[in-house]
Amino acid sequence: MKKILLLMAIVLPFVLISCGDDKDEPSALEQQLIGGWNGQSETSSILHPTSIYYIFNADHTGRYIWQETPSPLRHGATSGGYDYTWKLKKNVLTITPNEGDDPKTFEISIENGILKMTTGIITYVLTKGAG
């Protein structure tokens, strides 16, 4: 009986340690996502090049910015954007604009510092780093 109690005393701390709640810890994909990402819009063209920027903060807020650069047909740059909240479930990213617009859903993947965000038939390819 003493041997069983001794064995339980030795094993029990390891069992309790392994039962921790990891729900609050961000996933590896979420940790990679946090930061600034920039790239070209799928709708961008040579005549109207448009740069896009996504900023994902650790507190699940962010900012989307787009900027159409000057071209031979347009002398001034135009830009816009919005603040949003975001959530990630497995590889599905949901961005909800603070302005009350409908949420946007993307399937994402990150490999070698390249973020691919796919919605429908459109895929955005972004690189890590502020724009």
Side-chain angles (χ1 to χ4, degrees):
M1 183 72 170
K2 288 183 181 181
K3 289 181 182 178
I4 293 174
L5 289 175
L6 180 61
L7 183 60
M8 285 178 52
I10 293 172
V11 174
L12 189 59
F14 295 108
V15 171
L16 294 176
I17 290 172
S18 67
C19 293
D21 186 9
D22 296 334
K23 289 183 180 178
D24 293 338
E25 294 182 22
S27 68
L29 184 60
E30 184 173 318
Q31 289 178 348
Q32 292 178 55
L33 181 63
I34 294 170
W37 297 87
N38 61 67
Q40 292 292 123
S41 170
E42 279 276 317
T43 59
S44 186
S45 69
I46 294 172
L47 296 177
H48 300 287
T50 304
S51 298
I52 59 173
Y53 309 96
Y54 280 93
I55 300 166
F56 296 96
N57 299 316
D59 65 355
H60 290 242
T61 62
R63 177 115 178 105
Y64 168 72
I65 303 165
W66 63 269
Q67 181 173 11
E68 190 174 276
T69 56
S71 67
L73 300 178
R74 174 178 278 126
H75 295 291
T78 58
S79 63
Y82 54 84
D83 293 321
Y84 58 83
T85 57
W86 62 273
K87 66 180 176 179
L88 183 64
K89 188 171 184 177
K90 296 189 180 187
N91 70 326
V92 178
L93 172 68
T94 303
I95 293 176
T96 305
N98 293 352
E99 301 167 348
D101 292 342
D102 290 334
K104 297 165 179 47
T105 304
F106 303 90
E107 279 191 42
I108 68 165
S109 65
I110 301 173
E111 288 186 33
N112 300 321
I114 297 176
L115 168 63
K116 291 184 181 178
M117 299 173 52
T118 303
T119 180
I121 60 171
I122 297 174
T123 299
Y124 300 99
V125 179
L126 307 165
T127 56
K128 188 94 178 211

